[in-house]
Amino acid sequence: QKEVEQDPGPLSVPEGAIVSLNCTYSNSAFQYFMWYRQYSRKGPELLMYTYSSGNKEDGRFTAQVDKSSKYISLFIRDSQPSDSATYLCAMSGAGSYQLTFGKGTKLSVIP
Amino acid sequence: GAGVSQSPSNKVTEKGKDVELRCDPISGHTALYWYRQSLGQGLEFLIYFQGNSAPDKSGLPSDRFSAERTGGSVSTLTIQRTQQEDSAVYLCASSWTGTDPLNYGYTFGSGTRLTVV
């Protein structure tokens, strides 16, 4: 079992839909949870991060972490065609510089 | 510079040849990372440099891979005797420090797409 599991998709939704992206993990030492967005032929860019369990909201994006279930989510409200990208979850332990990434979910938002 | 710069952006090489990939981090960032992104795979950690400390090479897949960082700035990843399974996108990232991900942010370059034929 990989440390981080993420459904690769692809996921296709109509513009304006609510998108839910998820990752599960097995390493209980993970405390920092991040979501990166990667456009085609570009490097990943940090979208959101959270520490331990809880929710964090930033505009149309909400990140949720449930450490008891080892499950993290990213919700995108009112999705736009410009949200079409691959979304990568990443996580690390306390004081660790090394991130463990999921494989990424490819999202297409259709106008 | 304004961002992390990687060169070349694309590299096609013949099996058995050596290749060098370059990364120019954001000025002032002391931490530098190399990751590999293979088709259908997540990002795989390769190596980490922090200031003048000895690098963490624990992610390098074989002794054909090596990396150096000169003057605490530019880094070069070298792959000797390339194999087809080395084909991937090699991503470099830098950050202010290497500890506490919430107090730093990885900034990735656009990567070098390596194809071994």
Side-chain angles (χ1 to χ4, degrees), chain A residues 5-13 19-22 85-87 102-108, chain B residues 40:
Chain A
E5 299 278 0
Q6 183 176 11
D7 186 339
L11 181 62
S12 185
V13 302
V19 176
S20 173
L21 304 168
N22 312 290
T86 296
Y87 290 80
K103 291 184 180 182
T105 300
K106 186 170 183 178
L107 171 68
S108 294

Side-chain angles (χ1 to χ4, degrees), chain B residues 4 15 21 24 36 40 48 58 67 74-75 79-80 88 90 99 104 112:
Chain B
V4 176
K15 178 181 172 181
L21 313 180
D24 202 341
R36 178 169 71 174
Y48 161 72
S58 61
V74 171
S75 177
I79 309 173
Q80 295 178 312
Y90 290 82
T99 56
Y104 74 84
T112 293

Side-chain angles (χ1 to χ4, degrees), chain B residues 57-80:
Chain B
K57 305 178 182 180
S58 61
L60 295 178
S62 77
D63 58 9
R64 296 186 295 105
F65 288 73
S66 63
E68 63 177 20
R69 188 179 186 191
T70 55
S73 181
V74 171
S75 177
T76 303
L77 177 69
T78 300
I79 309 173
Q80 295 178 312

Side-chain angles (χ1 to χ4, degrees), chain B:
Chain B
V4 176
S5 178
Q6 290 189 247
S7 61
S9 55
N10 286 283
K11 177 72 176 179
V12 180
T13 190
E14 291 181 353
K15 178 181 172 181
K17 294 282 179 71
D18 297 352
V19 294
E20 282 190 353
L21 313 180
R22 177 188 167 105
C23 173
D24 202 341
I26 291 174
S27 178
H29 279 190
T30 61
L32 186 146
Y33 317 77
W34 284 96
Y35 280 77
R36 178 169 71 174
Q37 188 172 31
S38 304
L39 190 64
Q41 302 297 317
L43 274 72
E44 173 191 11
F45 168 78
L46 296 178
I47 189 168
Y48 161 72
F49 295 92
Q50 171 59 51
N52 295 320
S53 302
D56 176 358
K57 305 178 182 180
S58 61
L60 295 178
S62 77
D63 58 9
R64 296 186 295 105
F65 288 73
S66 63
E68 63 177 20
R69 188 179 186 191
T70 55
S73 181
V74 171
S75 177
T76 303
L77 177 69
T78 300
I79 309 173
Q80 295 178 312
R81 306 181 302 281
T82 51
Q83 303 295 312
Q84 288 186 328
E85 61 262 28
D86 299 334
S87 296
V89 177
Y90 290 82
L91 291 160
C92 175
S94 69
S95 65
W96 288 109
T97 70
T99 56
D100 192 348
L102 292 189
N103 286 331
Y104 74 84
Y106 273 28
T107 301
F108 281 92
S110 292
T112 293
R113 186 174 299 269
L114 176 66
T115 303
V116 182
V117 298

Side-chain angles (χ1 to χ4, degrees), chain A residues 67-88:
Chain A
K67 289 192 71 180
S68 63
S69 301
K70 295 189 177 66
Y71 187 87
I72 69 171
S73 301
L74 177 70
F75 297 95
I76 307 174
R77 292 181 298 280
D78 186 26
S79 56
Q80 302 295 309
S82 58
D83 295 328
S84 297
T86 296
Y87 290 80
L88 301 154

